[in-house]
């Protein structure tokens, strides 16, 4: 996997990791992160608490966001998050309910 990553990613590329990085792996997060090319931007997943507590591993990330991250690609803004389809549906419904309550 590391070899495939590094074949596609250059040192100056931005890479967005959408949570649960190296969950249940035998090796530490810094072992993986130190070998991966690119500027790594992490959106934390629900299984990333050990990763967050690892200062060495966090040093390999250019940015960290707890829930979602917005990036721009030309004139489009893209929302990146760790939530599944079910989680996104819940978040959307909750957001619409809050907007509706404020508009009344």
């Amino acid at each position: 996997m590391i070899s495939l990553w590094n074949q596609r990613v250059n040192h100056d590329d931005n890479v967005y990791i959408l949570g649960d990085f190296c969950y249940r792996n035998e090796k530490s997060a810094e072992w993986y992160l130190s070998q991966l090319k690119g500027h790594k931007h992490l959106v934390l997943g629900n299984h990333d608490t050990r990763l967050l507590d690892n200062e060495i591993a966090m040093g390999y990330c250019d940015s960290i966001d707890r829930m979602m991250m917005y990036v721009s690609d030309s004139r489009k803004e893209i929302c990146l998050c760790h939530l599944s389809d079910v989680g996104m549906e819940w978040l959307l419904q909750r957001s619409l309910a809050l907007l509706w309550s404020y508009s009344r």
Side-chain angles (χ1 to χ4, degrees), residues 1-9 15 17 36-37 40:
M1 184 73 95
I2 292 169
S3 176
L4 292 173
W5 173 300
N6 288 333
Q7 287 174 25
R8 299 285 296 172
V9 176
V15 182
I17 302 167
L36 298 174
K37 291 181 186 176
K40 292 164 278 299

Side-chain angles (χ1 to χ4, degrees), residues 21-22 29 33 42 44 48-55 57-58:
F21 182 77
C22 73
L33 290 167
L42 174 65
L44 291 173
D48 285 327
T49 52
R50 285 184 54 208
L51 176 61
L52 189 58
D53 292 338
N54 184 332
E55 290 182 31
M58 290 292 88

Side-chain angles (χ1 to χ4, degrees), residues 18-63:
L18 302 181
D20 296 348
F21 182 77
C22 73
Y23 177 61
R24 292 188 176 177
N25 282 7
E26 293 178 12
K27 300 192 188 239
S28 66
E30 67 264 17
W31 186 87
Y32 294 99
L33 290 167
S34 67
Q35 298 179 67
L36 298 174
K37 291 181 186 176
H39 297 283
K40 292 164 278 299
H41 305 277
L42 174 65
V43 176
L44 291 173
N46 54 311
H47 294 108
D48 285 327
T49 52
R50 285 184 54 208
L51 176 61
L52 189 58
D53 292 338
N54 184 332
E55 290 182 31
I56 296 170
M58 290 292 88
Y60 289 105
C61 296
D62 289 80
S63 67

Side-chain angles (χ1 to χ4, degrees), residues 36-103:
L36 298 174
K37 291 181 186 176
H39 297 283
K40 292 164 278 299
H41 305 277
L42 174 65
V43 176
L44 291 173
N46 54 311
H47 294 108
D48 285 327
T49 52
R50 285 184 54 208
L51 176 61
L52 189 58
D53 292 338
N54 184 332
E55 290 182 31
I56 296 170
M58 290 292 88
Y60 289 105
C61 296
D62 289 80
S63 67
I64 302 162
D65 199 291
R66 291 200 177 269
M67 185 165 195
M68 62 183 62
M69 179 182 295
Y70 292 93
V71 296
S72 295
D73 181 25
S74 298
R75 290 179 282 168
K76 296 180 181 177
E77 190 169 77
I78 302 165
C79 174
L80 303 174
C81 67
H82 173 73
L83 295 173
S84 65
D85 291 343
V86 173
M88 283 302 291
E89 184 177 326
W90 175 86
L91 182 62
L92 180 60
Q93 288 175 354
R94 178 106 172 117
S95 299
L96 290 174
L98 285 171
L99 286 172
W100 182 79
S101 67
Y102 284 121
S103 67

